[in-house]
Amino acid sequence: MRGDPAAARSAPRGPVAPGFSAVADAFADVLAGARGGAAFSVVRDGVPLVELHGGLADPVTGRPWTRDTVAVLFSGTKGLAATACAALADRLDPDAPVVRYWPEFAAGGKATATVAQVLAHTVGLPYVDPEPATADALDDRACAVALARQTPLWEPGSRVAYHALTWGNLVAELVRRATGGADPRVVLEEVVGRVPGARVFLATAPPEPARIVRAPGYRISTFLDDPRRRRAVERMYRVLLDDADAVNSPGWYRSGALAGAAVAGAPAMARAYAALTDPARSPVRPAALARAVRTHATGTDAVNDRPVRFGLGYELADRLGTFGPEPVAFGHSGAGGGRHGAWPERRIGFSFLTNEMRAEDVDDRAARLLGALHGCLRAA
């Protein structure tokens, strides 16, 4: 309605290249029912095709979402960490045993576990046992010490299950060891920062991020019915579930947790992924990237019952259509609806970023946007 402040706050803003109006229409539909805000950016060959944003960055104060709004990426952080690992391939060999870099990891029968098994979520350490104290739950180093002593739930490499938080604990320690003690948060920022316009905050204090809100009925692991494994999932995600507002505290987004604490904007994320599709712009050597985006694990998640397909840290195109209709894709999703990735055969990088968390089985926002984008590219 003309003159309605709420409608003005929700209206999509930002440039859209000719031929991509269907994406703008889909984004307007996404915002129409939003309690929070969102952004959707698409970049090809370093050039933005879509940079849309709208809604509320803070539904409590009414602060609008602007082009410069940043938000917690949750597991979108893992895709950036995967990029950092690929950039370090000459020092962190995926085929090497973890103990080459981290001798203490041999405890508990893990002496032959490989770096690739850690990166591809098959190492069998989906939660820390015993559970860390609340103060340590987002401390990668403290959790890594415990994981090094731990016995895996299965023989590494024999099953795949998403390591929601422990993936970050393990990878952060591997990066630290392989680089001779470098801060993995700084390594990630530096690798991503080689791409013009791709700024991410993990070691560096971010601008005020968007306030995260949960849609009514928000749930995790929506594919899972087994009560026993549900308890395991609750253990894996306790730091996210126990206090709904914890994600809005500096304790979360200043923790540096490599599994889910990075902060960035959608334009930066789209640029970072678009650069990976172009050897002239990529911070990763082509051979290392090709290796990282090959399938290293696929099947039904042994804990969550969800179909999964992983490269070396990246999520890959799967039968759920996580990354849209394009058959070749890689990237990483984030809790509550974020979706960041690349369609390499189309030289496209994209990012859907939101502060309104919705359950996976009812959230079609990213799917609608990626479907519209795919249609526009095919029509061009």
Side-chain angles (χ1 to χ4, degrees):
M1 182 183 302
R2 184 175 298 176
D4 180 352
R9 286 197 301 268
S10 297
R13 297 179 292 277
V16 177
F20 291 87
S21 61
V23 177
D25 292 341
F27 188 74
D29 289 342
V30 164
L31 286 184
R35 296 173 63 227
F40 185 57
S41 292
V42 181
V43 174
R44 181 172 60 193
D45 298 334
V47 178
L49 300 178
V50 174
E51 285 199 338
L52 291 164
H53 59 271
L56 297 175
D58 189 337
V60 175
T61 65
R63 174 165 60 100
W65 194 296
T66 71
R67 184 192 181 281
D68 297 325
T69 294
V70 295
V72 175
L73 298 174
F74 295 114
S75 287
T77 308
K78 292 184 178 75
L80 302 179
T83 298
C85 288
L88 293 171
D90 58 338
R91 285 180 278 175
L92 184 60
D93 180 0
D95 292 330
V98 173
V99 295
R100 176 187 296 180
Y101 310 100
W102 185 4
E104 303 94 313
F105 196 77
K110 304 190 299 296
T112 60
T114 67
V115 172
Q117 288 166 351
V118 169
L119 290 171
H121 299 265
T122 69
V123 76
L125 297 168
Y127 52 76
V128 180
D129 187 22
E131 289 187 66
T134 301
D136 292 333
L138 293 173
D139 185 329
D140 281 337
R141 295 224 76 184
C143 291
V145 169
L147 289 164
R149 296 192 294 257
Q150 199 167 316
T151 300
L153 297 184
W154 54 79
E155 180 183 352
S158 65
R159 300 182 188 177
V160 58
Y162 185 53
H163 289 44
L165 293 175
T166 56
W167 187 93
N169 308 149
L170 296 167
V171 171
E173 192 65 18
L174 277 169
V175 169
R176 190 184 303 276
R177 301 284 182 122
T179 57
D183 186 332
R185 304 168 303 170
V186 174
V187 172
L188 184 153
E189 286 190 356
E190 191 274 329
V191 169
V192 175
R194 296 176 196 170
V195 179
R199 181 75 189 277
V200 61
F201 302 89
L202 189 61
T204 308
E208 183 181 11
R211 173 175 288 276
I212 304 296
V213 295
R214 295 184 183 181
Y218 176 71
R219 308 173 316 289
I220 60 170
S221 299
T222 58
F223 287 81
L224 181 61
D225 295 321
D226 183 300
R228 179 180 57 84
R229 280 183 288 145
R230 172 64 61 179
R231 289 193 292 273
V233 167
E234 290 170 353
R235 189 172 185 177
M236 290 165 57
Y237 287 96
R238 192 174 306 283
V239 68
L240 181 64
L241 298 175
D242 280 356
D243 180 357
D245 205 44
V247 296
N248 290 311
S249 71
W252 184 288
Y253 58 78
R254 292 302 313 280
S255 69
L258 213 65
V263 172
M269 293 295 286
R271 282 168 170 74
Y273 275 106
L276 293 174
T277 72
D278 181 355
R281 295 184 174 90
S282 178
V284 178
R285 292 177 181 175
L289 184 64
R291 189 181 197 183
V293 300
R294 289 202 306 264
T295 301
H296 288 263
T298 189
T300 299
D301 189 300
V303 175
N304 289 284
D305 274 353
R306 184 189 190 277
V308 293
R309 183 170 168 240
F310 293 111
L312 295 177
Y314 294 114
E315 293 178 324
L316 307 180
D318 57 32
R319 63 184 178 87
L320 294 176
T322 299
F323 295 100
E326 189 69 10
V328 179
F330 65 90
H332 217 289
S333 55
R339 205 71 50 85
H340 322 282
W343 292 344
E345 294 183 352
R346 296 186 181 273
R347 309 187 313 281
I348 289 287
F350 59 82
S351 174
F352 173 66
L353 184 64
T354 180
N355 62 340
E356 183 177 344
M357 301 178 75
R358 298 185 185 179
E360 183 178 25
D361 59 343
V362 297
D363 186 7
D364 66 350
R365 293 171 295 177
R368 289 156 65 188
L369 291 166
L370 292 173
L373 173 62
H374 196 260
C376 292
L377 290 169
R378 291 188 65 182

